[in-house]
């Protein structure tokens, strides 16, 4: 995995991104808004992988679709190589998608059942003919099959003839055909068997080493992004609540929500144990989020200030990450503690 150059300009800059959906009015004619994404900011550098993690419905995939302009943003800014992309016209957007590609969650529905593997992977070159010259396309197609681990006799077969993991490899090859600088991976392994997930993650790591592309890797499971990510951002109810270097987030999480997520993850080292944190209650509705801190209704250390004031995502004394928590640094879950000796 390439190391981020901290003094380099980010490839992708997301600032205060918002996406609200209007819901039909109720009996009294009052319209409601679903705040799917509500003020999200992050940067992504060349060769870096940012893991974006959170429960289903927290807004992760909406961020991906908004960056790709598959849905329109309500507000905020998304800049690629310093250029604002939220106001691009259709032609400019087509040119942009040469540099930003997406791997979708469901390999069953993201591939056309009427196209062969050759047609799926080579079609982008018809839209962007300058990427690969016509005389070189057969050779480049063969290279892509080899790069993603598909046999050469796959060329004239259809997606329904492949397993889920193989279909996802086809989707990866289609993205690589455009030679992008940024690849957005929208839960690329959640629909796959556990035995196949590691293979796809290893493949993505190999792809990054070969191409230097930056990855925005979206998942709902912290353990999935642990080894592939350089940085991690944890989302809750449309907002990022904690971010930082992957090792710091895993070893010393400062936000209670991150601690709860990590406490549920299996620990492979038998000499370590974690205090299990069971969250009470359901995730509030994004149409009517709680005042102050959105996590306070499920937080076991919430104080009066958590209800009165919405916390900003900041660094706090004694912490290694940035978190949106008034109590950050005042509490640490009992992570990575050696087991207590047996009673005599």
């Amino acid at each position: 995995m390439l190391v981020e150059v901290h003094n380099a300009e980010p490839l992708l800059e997301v600032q205060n991104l918002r996406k609200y959906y209007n819901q039909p009015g109720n009996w009294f004619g009052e319209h409601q808004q679903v705040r799917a994404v509500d003020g999200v900011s992050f940067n992504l550098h060349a060769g870096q992988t940012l893991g974006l993690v959170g429960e289903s419905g927290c807004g992760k995939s909406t961020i991906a679709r908004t960056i790709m302009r598959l849905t329109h943003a309500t507000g905020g800014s998304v800049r690629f190589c310093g250029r604002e992309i939220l106001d691009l016209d259709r032609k400019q957007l087509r040119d942009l998608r040469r540099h930003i590609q997406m791997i979708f969650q469901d390999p069953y529905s993201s591939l056309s059942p009427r196209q062969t593997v050759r047609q799926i992977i080579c079609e982008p070159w018809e839209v962007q003919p300058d990427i690969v010259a016509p005389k070189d396309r057969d050779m480049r197609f063969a290279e892509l099959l080899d790069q993603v681990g598909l046999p050469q006799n796959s060329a004239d077969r259809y997606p329904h003839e492949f397993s889920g993991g193989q279909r996802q490899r086809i989707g990866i090859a289609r993205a690589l055909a455009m030679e992008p600088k940024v690849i957005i991976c929208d839960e690329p392994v959640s629909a796959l068997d556990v035995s196949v997930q590691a293979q796809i993650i290893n493949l993505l790591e190999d792809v990054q080493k070969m191409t230097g592309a930056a990855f925005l890797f979206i998942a709902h499971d912290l353990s999935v992004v642990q080894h592939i990510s350089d940085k991690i951002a944890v989302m809750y109810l449309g907002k990022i609540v904690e971010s930082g270097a992957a090792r710091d987030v895993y070893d010393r999480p400062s936000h209670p929500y991150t601690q709860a997520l990590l406490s549920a993850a299996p620990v492979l080292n038998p000499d370590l144990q974690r205090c299990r944190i069971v969250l009470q209650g359901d995730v509030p509705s994004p149409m009517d989020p709680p005042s102050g801190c959105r996590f306070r209704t499920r937080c076991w250390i919430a104080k009066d200030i958590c209800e009165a004031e919405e916390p900003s995502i900041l660094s706090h004394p004694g912490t290694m990450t940035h978190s949106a928590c008034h109590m950050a640094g005042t509490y640490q879950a009992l992570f990575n503690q050696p087991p207590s000796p047996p009673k005599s």
Side-chain angles (χ1 to χ4, degrees):
M1 188 176 298
L2 300 180
V3 178
E4 175 190 350
V5 180
H6 292 280
N7 59 358
E9 291 296 322
L11 278 178
L12 190 67
E13 300 173 84
V14 177
Q15 295 295 325
N16 196 28
L17 183 64
R18 302 183 304 282
K19 176 59 182 177
Y20 302 160
Y21 294 97
N22 290 321
Q23 292 293 90
N26 57 25
W27 288 103
F28 302 100
E30 297 174 344
H31 291 271
Q32 293 179 302
Q33 282 188 327
V34 177
R35 298 190 173 192
V37 179
D38 196 11
V40 166
S41 301
F42 60 82
N43 292 338
L44 186 61
H45 289 77
Q48 182 188 68
T49 298
L50 171 64
L52 189 61
V53 184
E55 293 174 278
S56 297
C58 72
K60 308 182 303 296
S61 294
T62 301
I63 290 175
R65 294 178 63 83
T66 305
I67 292 173
M68 291 296 297
R69 289 284 302 276
L70 299 176
T71 186
H72 293 288
T74 303
S77 170
V78 180
R79 302 179 70 86
F80 173 73
C81 292
R83 183 186 185 187
E84 179 61 57
I85 68 177
L86 293 184
D87 54 7
L88 298 181
D89 60 29
R90 180 173 297 183
K91 181 183 182 303
Q92 293 170 327
L93 187 59
R94 184 184 65 186
D95 295 338
L96 169 77
R97 287 179 177 159
R98 171 177 177 171
H99 303 293
I100 304 178
Q101 282 289 296
M102 188 165 175
I103 300 169
F104 294 90
Q105 175 179 359
D106 187 359
Y108 296 90
S109 63
S110 62
L111 303 176
S112 172
R114 295 181 175 87
Q115 290 183 311
T116 64
V117 171
R118 184 189 302 274
Q119 291 171 326
I120 290 171
I121 295 176
C122 296
E123 185 180 39
W125 299 332
E126 300 298 329
V127 181
Q128 301 278 0
D130 59 320
I131 295 178
V132 181
K135 64 182 179 64
D136 298 326
R137 289 179 183 177
D138 286 343
M139 181 177 66
R140 179 58 179 150
F141 171 71
E143 290 175 350
L144 286 171
L145 289 184
D146 184 64
Q147 187 173 355
V148 300
L150 288 171
Q152 295 298 320
N153 62 10
S154 303
D156 298 317
R157 295 165 62 188
Y158 290 87
H160 72 269
E161 301 178 61
F162 295 89
S163 67
Q166 289 173 319
R167 293 184 197 187
Q168 198 60 288
R169 291 174 187 268
I170 297 170
I172 294 171
R174 177 177 61 184
L176 293 177
M178 298 292 278
E179 300 180 1
K181 295 181 180 179
V182 175
I183 300 178
I184 299 174
C185 306
D186 185 13
E187 302 210 39
V189 299
S190 63
L192 306 178
D193 292 339
V194 174
S195 58
V196 181
Q197 291 182 2
Q199 298 175 20
I200 297 300
I201 291 175
N202 289 337
L203 170 60
L204 291 172
E205 288 184 311
D206 292 340
V207 164
Q208 188 175 56
K209 291 175 182 177
M210 295 176 65
T211 66
F215 284 176
L216 175 61
F217 194 100
I218 296 171
H220 62 266
D221 185 350
L222 269 166
S223 61
V224 169
V225 302
Q226 180 173 6
H227 299 292
I228 195 173
S229 299
D230 301 295
K231 296 174 64 178
I232 290 176
V234 180
M235 284 192 69
Y236 183 80
L237 208 62
K239 289 182 174 290
I240 290 178
V241 296
E242 183 163 9
S243 65
R247 178 171 295 180
D248 294 333
V249 171
Y250 277 91
D251 291 348
R252 297 186 62 186
S254 60
H255 196 282
Y257 178 62
T258 311
Q259 294 171 355
L261 290 180
L262 283 171
S263 76
V267 180
L268 299 180
N269 188 341
D271 294 328
L272 301 178
Q273 66 180 13
R274 287 175 175 166
C275 175
R276 182 72 170 91
I277 301 171
V278 180
L279 296 178
Q280 303 297 319
D282 298 324
V283 179
S285 169
M287 288 190 295
D288 186 25
S291 62
C293 175
R294 297 188 175 192
F295 184 64
R296 67 172 177 80
T297 57
R298 305 175 73 195
C299 182
W300 62 97
I301 58 171
K303 305 295 182 183
D304 291 343
I305 190 176
C306 302
E307 180 178 358
E309 297 180 16
E310 181 176 357
S312 300
I313 186 162
L314 302 168
S315 61
H316 299 270
T319 66
M320 301 294 291
T321 64
H322 290 73
S323 62
C325 179
H326 294 297
M327 311 305 294
T330 64
Y331 173 85
Q332 284 289 326
L334 300 178
F335 286 156
N336 303 335
Q337 298 296 318
S340 301
K343 295 181 179 180
S344 56

